[in-house]
């Protein structure tokens, strides 16, 4: 019998099988890819994964006239909101806006505390009530899943009816965390990698997606180094949860 794959285990997980995605993702991961090319690849991959993520949007009939005759066309029904998670999600916005020019863009600012791996919120200007029905969270990396689960909490409290996570690379630990907190959130990714390392980075991964886009390599982020004991224990706990859900 075929061993259970991660896609079998999480019905909300959608991993792209497109060869162009695999090709571009390999270039993105490559340590020799400079920030300019990295940003271009983030953009191209976001277009492709965003396109797949919107495949189930409902449409309404719309009467149109071609130069030859009248016909029934289609119009996307729900109002869509793009929710880039700062900073790294910024590089995904333009591509998805190209697909859905009428989408609203609502930024959420979160950074991950390097020691506890917990998300810290620093920007949120959502109005009182939701103005869109479908939200696409844009963030290239789903690592522990903490940032994503926190963003979904914010969007559900706001009143978003449907939420999808659009990422480039996910770790199994992050998929488990997000799916157990929010099983109704679809996760669309270009790839699922092996695991988190003891510092909470996805391996093989691509390093720090924000730093690689914006050329900010001053921090310890994706450089080799020892994890703090507390951080390594948090990662081990996530890995145990994954083995024994
Ligand atoms: C990265 C990434 C996600 C988060 C993922 O952001 O863009 O938001 O980490 O990690 P998690 O799944 O363990 O929460 P980071 O905190 O590095 O902030 P930045 O984009 O501002 O660099
Ligand atoms: N954030 C990143 O940018 N990369 C990782 O591998 C994990 C979190």
């Amino acid at each position: 019998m075929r061993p259970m794959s991660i896609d079998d285990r999480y019905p909300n997980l959608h991993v792209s099988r497109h060869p162009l995605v695999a090709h571009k993702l390999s270039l993105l991961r490559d340590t020799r890819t400079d920030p300019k090319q990295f940003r271009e690849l983030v953009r191209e991959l976001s277009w492709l994964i965003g396109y797949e993520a919107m495949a189930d949007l409902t449409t309404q009939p719309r009467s149109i006239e071609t130069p030859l005759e009248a016909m029934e066309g289609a119009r996307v029904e729900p109002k869509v909101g793009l929710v880039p998670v700062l900073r790294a999600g910024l590089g995904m916005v333009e591509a998805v806006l190209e697909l859905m020019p009428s989408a609203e863009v609502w930024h959420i600012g979160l950074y991950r505390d390097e020691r506890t791996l917990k998300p810290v919120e620093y920007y949120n200007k959502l109005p009182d009530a939701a103005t869109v029905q479908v939200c696409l969270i844009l963030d290239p990396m789903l690592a522990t899943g903490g940032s994503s689960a926190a963003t979904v909490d914010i969007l559900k409290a706001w009143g978003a009816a449907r939420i999808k996570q659009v990422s480039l690379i996910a770790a199994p630990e992050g998929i488990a965390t997000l799916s157990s907190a929010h099983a109704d959130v679809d996760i669309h990714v270009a790839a699922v990698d092996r695991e988190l390392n003891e510092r909470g980075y996805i391996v093989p991964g691509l390093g720090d997606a924000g730093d690689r886009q914006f050329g900010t390599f001053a921090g310890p982020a994706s450089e080799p180094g020892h994890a703090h004991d507390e951080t390594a224990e948090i990662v081990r706990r996530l890995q145990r949860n994954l083995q024994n859900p």
Side-chain angles (χ1 to χ4, degrees):
M1 204 172 69
R2 185 172 66 90
M4 202 182 197
S5 72
I6 190 144
D7 312 48
D8 298 331
R9 191 163 160 187
Y10 299 102
N12 56 323
L13 174 67
H14 309 274
V15 186
S16 177
R17 303 278 174 234
H18 202 293
L20 282 181
V21 169
H23 179 95
K24 288 176 190 295
L25 186 63
S26 303
L27 295 172
L28 187 77
R29 292 177 187 276
D30 194 322
T31 190
R32 292 166 303 183
T33 297
D34 68 15
K36 178 175 187 290
Q37 199 194 357
F38 192 92
R39 287 191 297 273
E40 286 164 5
L41 288 161
V42 166
R43 192 173 184 287
E44 291 165 10
L45 283 160
S46 302
W47 199 100
L48 294 165
I49 304 298
Y51 176 77
E52 291 183 0
M54 289 193 266
D56 66 352
L57 291 184
T58 52
T59 56
Q60 281 279 359
R62 173 192 181 191
S63 302
I64 56 165
E65 284 191 27
T66 79
L68 301 179
E69 62 179 40
M71 67 167 281
E72 193 140 287
R75 173 177 50 214
V76 169
E77 189 175 32
K79 284 182 98 176
V80 174
L82 308 183
V83 185
V85 178
L86 306 178
R87 286 177 303 163
L90 280 177
M92 302 176 72
V93 178
E94 208 183 298
V96 187
L97 262 182
E98 240 169 50
L99 293 171
M100 179 60 72
S102 61
E104 298 179 6
V105 182
W106 294 103
H107 300 82
I108 297 287
L110 294 178
Y111 71 87
R112 194 171 73 146
D113 182 291
E114 275 181 17
R115 189 153 150 176
T116 63
L117 301 181
K118 294 259 173 302
V120 181
E121 186 179 328
Y122 63 89
Y123 185 85
N124 174 354
K125 294 274 185 201
L126 292 172
D128 287 346
T131 54
V132 294
Q133 284 111 33
V134 178
C135 284
L136 303 189
I137 299 175
L138 307 180
D139 192 335
M141 308 304 273
L142 180 65
T144 63
S147 304
S148 171
T151 308
V152 175
D153 288 340
I154 293 169
L155 295 176
K156 283 191 173 171
W158 189 43
R162 183 103 201 276
I163 301 170
K164 291 164 178 267
Q165 171 84 18
V166 181
S167 292
L168 302 186
I169 304 184
E173 295 89 335
I175 293 165
T177 302
L178 178 57
S179 305
S180 79
H182 299 289
D184 55 329
V185 171
D186 282 317
I187 304 172
H188 291 266
V189 290
V192 178
D193 275 9
R194 192 176 69 247
E195 62 185 356
L196 295 179
N197 69 13
E198 57 173 8
R199 299 173 71 210
Y201 275 80
I202 301 175
V203 280
L206 51 73
D208 189 295
D211 287 344
R212 290 198 65 186
Q213 281 182 78
F214 301 117
T216 49
F217 300 106
S222 48
E223 293 160 12
H226 270 307
H228 195 277
D229 287 348
E230 184 186 349
T231 319
E233 179 45 34
I234 290 163
V235 172
R236 282 195 291 275
R237 182 171 45 73
L238 289 170
Q239 289 170 342
R240 284 194 298 272
N241 291 348
L242 185 63
Q243 300 312 323
N244 311 297

